[in-house]
């Protein structure tokens, strides 16, 4: 609700509907009294149309109220919370249209039971304050839900990436280099790439890139980036330009999140970059061959990284788009962990869960993630002296304690660019996956029982436990107390 005109239409429509309902007048009856069609009255009540003053006067007469009352922004006590919601900026921040939701239907719910829904919204706000949830966390959660809604495959962006390749005569059978993409960015959009600026401003050290608009726009790249990261940063900027995405962030990584539109457009540009660098037809064919292997061969994943000249994160994240679409593997998750060897803390810094079945999720409670996951045990390999420059691959069949769910988890790490980070993709073991992955029963694949966090885990004999099961113990105590109370 960015425009005042939208607010006026919505409030007018709500008032008409409330008055008509309170007086027991049907839309057909009101149409007969006013000479206005039922369909047009319906559009008015939904806040999509606002009639001319002459028709407003006719509607006011039919409903037995004054013209001034009907056109004012004053609402009855019952609808007052809805009015406050409309005139706040909350609805403008909610990306309802991206989920196929009509704002008028949402407001209709508020109008039907405003007190209960207002209390519910206030409860959500209180929860967010209690857990110190920031607006940007809400945006990123909304984006993940948006990706899940589409199985993380966006055909329109795939087609745009193909059109880009054809329009600029790129080789679809080879991965474009940083130099080729940087030259395209300069020639087609007048944006130069530069490594100057970061050394003069140490505050920018955590960022990967900074876009500076103006008459002579520049894309500043952090000089510590690998060739993979440079190529992705330029491909992402080409995505912003080619897709004509106006509302956008100027930095990578995020410094400040302005709106959901920024978050969504950043995702679209990044998706474009992945589609441009890892051609879907080639990668699908290569993954088909990988799945048909009769034994687990980790070097094949390393060969794929080398063939596409890409990073572990870009490769596995690209698979989260292609596996659901072309292999019907829709129940999967993607995780990125970071870890500092001097600390015993692992941070889940990026996640995606398709089909909504999977753990772990990012914890705001400072709990300790299960040390049995291959995503975390791979850090031990990373930090060994004999693996200073090796790209590492891990695999594990993980079954959750007290759950029937089991996943094949593939994990990757490349010390040169993610010394303290790993990425992994987990695929739910079901009949479809068993039919497609010929190497699934290879005895070389470790099978382990895992859980979400130590604080919730019942495996008391776990040698990797990093914290006592305090949350589980509290839950058991509550269960015991309820049983005693039941007997009493």
């Amino acid at each position: 609700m960015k425009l005042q005109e939208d607010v006026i239409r919505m409030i007018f429509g709500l008032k008409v509907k409330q008055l008509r309902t309170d007086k027991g007048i049907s839309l057909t009856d009101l149409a007969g009294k006013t000479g206005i069609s039922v369909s047009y009255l319906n559009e008015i009540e939904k806040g999509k149309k606002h009639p001319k003053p002459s028709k407003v006067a006719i509607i006011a007469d039919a409903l037995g109220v004054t013209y001034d009352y009907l056109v004012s922004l004053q609402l009855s006590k019952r609808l007052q919370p809805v009015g406050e919601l409309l005139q706040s900026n909350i609805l403008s921040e909610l990306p309802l249209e991206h989920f196929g939701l009509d704002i008028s239907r949402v407001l209709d719910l508020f109008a039907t039971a405003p007190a209960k829904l207002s209390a519910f919204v206030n409860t959500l706000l209180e929860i967010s304050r209690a857990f110190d949830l920031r607006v940007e966390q809400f945006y990123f959660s909304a984006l993940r839900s948006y990706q899940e809604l589409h199985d993380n495959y966006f055909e329109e962006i795939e087609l745009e990436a193909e059109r880009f390749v054809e329009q600029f005569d790129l080789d679809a059978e080879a991965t474009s280099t940083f130099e080729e993409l940087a030259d395209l960015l300069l020639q087609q959009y007048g944006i130069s790439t530069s490594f100057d600026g970061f050394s003069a401003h140490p505050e920018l050290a955590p960022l990967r890139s900074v876009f500076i608009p103006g008459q002579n726009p520049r894309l500043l790249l952090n000089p510590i980036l690998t060739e993979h990261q440079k190529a992705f940063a330029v491909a992402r900027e080409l995505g912003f330009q080619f897709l004509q995405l106006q509302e956008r962030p100027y930095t990578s990584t995020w410094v400040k999140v302005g709106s959901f539109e920024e978050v969504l457009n950043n995702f679209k540009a990044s998706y474009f970059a992945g589609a441009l660098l890892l051609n879907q037809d080639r990668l699908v064919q290569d993954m088909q061959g990988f799945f048909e292997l009769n034994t687990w061969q980790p070097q094949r994943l390393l060969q794929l990284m080398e063939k596409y000249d890409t990073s572990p994160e870009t490769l596995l994240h690209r698979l989260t788009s292609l596996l659901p679409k072309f292999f019907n593997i829709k129940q999967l998750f993607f995780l990125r962990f970071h870890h500092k060897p001097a600390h015993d803390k692992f941070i889940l810094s990026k996640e995606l869960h398709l089909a909504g079945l999977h753990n772990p999720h990012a914890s705001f409670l400072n709990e300790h993630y299960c040390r049995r996951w291959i995503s975390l045990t791979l850090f031990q390999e990373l930090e060994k002296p004999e693996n200073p420059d090796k790209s590492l691959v891990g695999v594990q069949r993980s079954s959750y304690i007290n759950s029937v769910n089991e996943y094949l988890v593939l994990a990757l790490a490349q010390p040169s660019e993610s010394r303290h980070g790993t990425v992994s993709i987990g695929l739910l073991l079901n009949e479809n996956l068993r039919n497609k992955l010929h190497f699934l029963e290879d005895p070389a694949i470790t099978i382990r029982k895992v859980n979400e966090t130590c604080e919730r885990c019942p495996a008391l004999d776990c040698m990797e436990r990093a914290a006592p099961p305090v949350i589980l113990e509290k839950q058991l105590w509550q269960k015991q107390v309820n049983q005693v109370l039941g007997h009493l």
Side-chain angles (χ1 to χ4, degrees), residues 209 225 229 479:
S209 64
L225 297 183
Q229 292 170 327
K479 182 178 180 180

Side-chain angles (χ1 to χ4, degrees), residues 208 224 226 229 312-313 335-350 374-385 387-390 392 412-424:
R208 290 191 175 190
I224 68 169
T226 65
Q229 292 170 327
E313 181 172 351
L335 306 174
R336 181 182 69 196
F337 278 96
H338 282 98
H339 170 56
K340 292 183 179 180
H343 301 83
D344 189 35
K345 204 69 176 172
F346 297 88
I347 300 171
L348 180 53
S349 54
K350 189 172 183 178
I374 187 64
S375 311
L376 303 192
T377 58
L378 201 60
F379 280 109
Q380 300 172 10
E381 298 298 317
L382 267 178
E383 292 159 12
K384 289 182 178 179
N387 292 326
D389 299 310
K390 291 183 180 179
L392 302 179
L412 288 171
Q414 190 172 29
S416 60
E417 71 175 73
S418 55
R419 178 61 183 168
H420 309 305
T422 64
V423 290
S424 56

Side-chain angles (χ1 to χ4, degrees), residues 1 6 10 46-48 85-86 91-92 94 96-97 100-110:
M1 305 305 296
D6 296 332
M10 285 290 181
K46 288 181 177 180
K48 295 181 178 180
L85 183 70
L86 279 171
L91 290 179
S92 65
L94 296 174
L96 298 175
E97 68 278 5
L101 297 177
D102 188 342
I103 185 64
S104 63
R105 294 184 64 187
V106 175
L107 289 174
D108 191 47
L109 287 174
F110 272 94

Side-chain angles (χ1 to χ4, degrees), residues 291-316:
F291 285 170
E292 291 174 354
L293 294 173
N294 292 319
T295 58
W296 163 245
Q297 299 179 27
Q299 69 273 15
R300 288 293 291 266
L301 279 179
L302 298 177
Q303 290 167 0
L304 277 180
M305 285 172 50
E306 184 177 350
K307 176 179 179 178
Y308 291 94
D309 194 22
T310 191
S311 68
E313 181 172 351
T314 302
L315 175 62
L316 292 191

